[in-house]
Amino acid sequence: MADLLPEHPDFLWRNPEPKSSYDVVIIGGGGHGLATAYYLAKNHGITNVAVLERGWLAGGNMARNTTIIRSNYLWDESAAIYEHSLKQWEVLPDELDYDFLFSQRGVLNLAHTLQDVRDSVRRCEANRLNGVDAEWLDADQVKEVCPIINTSDDIRYPVLGATYQPRAGIAKHDHVAWAFARKADELGVDLIQDCEVTGIVKDGNRVVGVQTSRGTISAGKVALCAAGHSSVLAEMAGFDLPIQSHPLQALVSELHQPVHPTVVMSNHVHVYVSQAHKGELVMGAGVDAYNGYGQRGGFHVIEEQMAAAVELFPIFARAHLLRTWGGIVDVTPDASPVVSKTPIDQLYVNCGWGTGGFKGTPGAGWTMAHTIAHDEPHEYNAPFALERFSTGALIDEHGAAAVAH
Amino acid sequence: MILISCPDCGARDETEFHYGGQAHVPYPEDPSTLSDEEWGRYLFYRENTKGIFAERWVHSSGCRKWFNVLRDTVTYRIAAVYRNGEPRPTLDGDSQ
């Protein structure tokens, strides 16, 4: 039998020693950092780039998310960047030559109250005006898409209908990271693990390098892509971010036969559920209330999401919880990301994706790479600059974000 | 689930409380004189400390009073609880 097994793959990237200097240093080797490096090389020809990761590649939120991909956000600015991201998801398996199991199985965002229905129908119409596939389904149509949902009217919060985005889906998160990492490495990017940034080196108001646990590295430009630790890095650099870091938990059940054909999210009873390719039910909910950097949260949050899941899916009642975990999400006041220049010259920040960063991986990388290369934002991330917190031009996506922040 | 000692009611489960974020953020004395940047900072910017953090909680299911807590945002361990209006206590090992 042994000779029938595939060869163990070679390492997907080199593990180089850090050089003393790079044109661009990206802090954070998660999905967003890796995608930024990839698009810097591919779209802009900038390959003298290092991605510094304090742990191992994609070991933070990239390893902890629930892999949901969709673009059905309300406002024009959001639709533009999330839909661009979804369009990249659709071509990336070929482009990166890596089948990371992107499965466009659709997403249902459930409505349980009259106000939910009104908001959802409005969001569908806004989506369609922005070229995002979206339709409103009544409860019977919801049942056709996902037969295991309880659409009876005798539960506490009956399902009145849902928005449906057929092009939404899931992907295998670790393979996504490895796909970006392998291609970025091939294009010449140095991926440096076990390298924690301990300080930002400046000359006047201009960033010129970083101090790390593996020595000082000088850099023409520096990009922060550190999600939950963005505030810590910004403080090192001498500026503030409108970010609060919270624990966000997720969980999986044991492996089951395929029963759940799509992705279901409920803002109101507060759970989101899909079934991974291997068969485990993957669930998440809202953040823990308090600020936290501990990568863990309270069990009462798990308990509430399980209660919501069982009410919506009675078939799950006897499924066993296999594993729970937590990540640290960087939450902004308007539930929209910050992809922006900073008050420090040649220093850029990508953060604030909160509970929804995975889906934004290609869009964040694409626009961040453009911002770094041109020292100007791309049209898709210009509205997501830090300036909106003084101009007041917020992009409030608390409704479409689908979980409480 | 963390256990929080309300100054009036004693130790209760976290689920009896609601969170209020950073403590000791005064309302601007004369808001009309602030620039857009200064007003934006008051509205949207709060400290996001990794370590001991002074924060507000309200005992929603009990006495319904607000109070302050010093809590480590990495271990989630509570180091001190004090009433609204009292100054931030000094902890052993504080550098200031």
Side-chain angles (χ1 to χ4, degrees):
Chain A
M1 281 299 285
D3 57 357
L4 296 177
L5 294 173
E7 289 285 307
H8 190 279
D10 290 335
F11 285 101
L12 297 179
W13 53 84
R14 302 162 290 129
N15 269 304
E17 287 297 310
K19 294 192 287 186
S20 61
S21 172
Y22 290 93
D23 292 341
V24 179
V25 163
I26 296 168
I27 304 174
H32 285 212
L34 293 168
T36 301
Y38 167 68
Y39 286 120
L40 267 178
K42 174 178 175 277
N43 290 359
H44 305 284
I46 299 172
T47 57
N48 184 23
V49 175
V51 177
L52 308 184
E53 167 54 49
R54 70 180 181 137
W56 58 89
L57 281 193
N61 291 350
M62 195 61 177
R64 297 158 197 270
N65 65 82
T66 50
T67 81
I68 298 169
I69 295 166
R70 60 191 175 90
S71 63
N72 55 351
Y73 283 70
L74 176 64
W75 299 107
D76 296 352
E77 297 86 347
S78 314
I81 194 168
Y82 286 107
E83 177 60 20
H84 181 68
S85 200
L86 178 51
K87 287 201 167 78
Q88 298 313 307
W89 282 110
E90 289 173 329
V91 298
L92 276 168
D94 281 341
E95 188 177 312
L96 300 175
D97 190 24
Y98 201 127
D99 179 12
F100 50 69
L101 302 178
F102 178 44
S103 162
Q104 290 180 287
R105 56 183 64 188
V107 63
L108 292 165
N109 289 83
L110 303 182
H112 301 268
T113 67
L114 184 57
Q115 189 61 45
D116 273 357
V117 173
R118 288 170 175 153
D119 290 344
S120 300
V121 171
R122 177 193 178 200
R123 189 152 51 80
C124 278
E125 300 298 344
N127 287 163
R128 280 142 74 142
L129 287 171
N130 280 315
V132 175
D133 57 320
E135 52 191 299
W136 168 255
L137 304 184
D138 65 25
D140 291 338
Q141 293 169 309
V142 168
K143 189 88 177 167
E144 281 170 32
V145 173
C146 187
I148 57 172
I149 292 191
N150 180 6
T151 51
S152 65
D153 60 5
D154 61 351
I155 59 175
R156 177 65 184 87
Y157 297 105
V159 175
L160 301 182
T163 68
Y164 184 47
Q165 184 183 20
R167 286 164 60 242
I170 58 173
K172 194 141 173 51
H173 52 94
D174 43 4
H175 288 213
V176 172
W178 301 337
F180 275 118
R182 182 179 66 169
K183 203 54 110 178
D185 177 88
E186 276 175 21
L187 292 168
V189 172
D190 282 0
L191 308 178
I192 299 163
Q193 306 180 77
D194 193 22
C195 182
E196 180 170 5
V197 170
T198 54
I200 307 284
V201 187
K202 291 194 290 186
D203 179 5
N205 193 50
R206 184 196 165 106
V207 71
V208 293
V210 292
Q211 292 161 339
T212 80
S213 55
R214 296 172 68 172
T216 299
I217 300 171
S218 49
K221 302 178 179 204
V222 174
L224 313 182
C225 293
H229 274 78
S230 297
S231 299
V232 176
L233 287 170
E235 190 181 354
M236 286 180 198
F239 71 102
D240 295 318
L241 288 169
I243 295 280
Q244 299 282 286
S245 294
H246 287 267
L248 175 65
Q249 302 182 78
L251 61 92
V252 290
S253 73
E254 299 166 307
L255 277 58
H256 295 284
Q257 293 293 320
V259 290
H260 184 13
T262 183
V263 180
V264 170
M265 314 184 71
S266 170
N267 219 342
H268 198 81
V269 302
H270 229 160
V271 71
Y272 39 94
V273 189
S274 66
Q275 187 169 20
H277 294 84
K278 269 192 305 185
E280 65 268 51
L281 299 163
V282 184
M283 299 186 203
V287 300
D288 278 60
Y290 48 74
N291 287 25
Y293 285 87
Q295 291 189 322
R296 61 194 171 82
F299 193 74
H300 61 280
V301 177
I302 301 278
E303 199 175 1
E304 281 160 19
Q305 80 188 54
M306 298 279 269
V310 170
E311 172 151 294
L312 286 177
F313 302 95
I315 192 178
F316 295 170
R318 295 171 70 182
H320 289 158
L321 178 69
L322 183 68
R323 197 155 50 86
T324 80
W325 64 90
I328 317 167
V329 296
D330 40 340
V331 173
T332 57
D334 59 357
S336 283
V338 172
V339 186
S340 179
K341 297 174 71 170
T342 70
I344 316 295
D345 296 338
Q346 312 300 326
L347 181 68
Y348 310 90
V349 65
N350 166 49
C351 65
W353 290 84
T355 61
F358 179 72
K359 72 176 78 66
T361 301
W366 185 289
T367 56
M368 189 66 172
H370 180 102
T371 308
I372 296 165
H374 297 282
D375 194 35
E376 281 297 329
H378 187 277
E379 62 174 306
Y380 291 150
N381 68 308
F384 295 95
L386 281 169
E387 283 73 22
R388 73 180 189 269
F389 299 102
S390 47
T391 63
L394 302 185
I395 304 163
D396 184 352
E397 290 290 0
H398 283 101
V403 291
H405 282 68
Chain B
M1 177 83 73
I2 53 179
L3 194 64
I4 302 171
S5 292
C6 170
D8 290 299
C9 310
R12 302 292 180 87
D13 282 346
E14 175 193 339
T15 46
E16 291 194 13
F17 299 83
H18 279 98
Y19 189 59
Q22 183 189 347
H24 309 297
V25 181
Y27 189 76
E29 279 188 19
D30 189 358
S32 62
T33 63
L34 298 187
S35 65
D36 288 351
E37 286 70 25
E38 289 166 333
W39 181 242
R41 286 194 66 84
Y42 168 69
L43 282 184
F44 300 125
Y45 284 74
R46 293 293 180 271
E47 287 176 17
N48 190 20
T49 309
K50 183 179 184 182
I52 295 289
F53 185 51
E55 62 190 17
R56 307 173 74 220
W57 288 86
V58 61
H59 193 185
S60 317
S61 305
C63 62
R64 297 169 64 191
K65 286 185 196 164
W66 285 94
F67 57 95
N68 296 330
V69 169
L70 292 184
R71 186 179 58 90
D72 188 319
T73 59
V74 179
T75 64
Y76 306 161
R77 196 159 293 151
I78 291 174
V81 175
Y82 54 107
R83 290 177 189 276
N84 236 355
E86 291 177 359
R88 173 177 172 151
T90 307
L91 300 177
D92 290 345
D94 267 8
S95 51
Q96 58 273 55

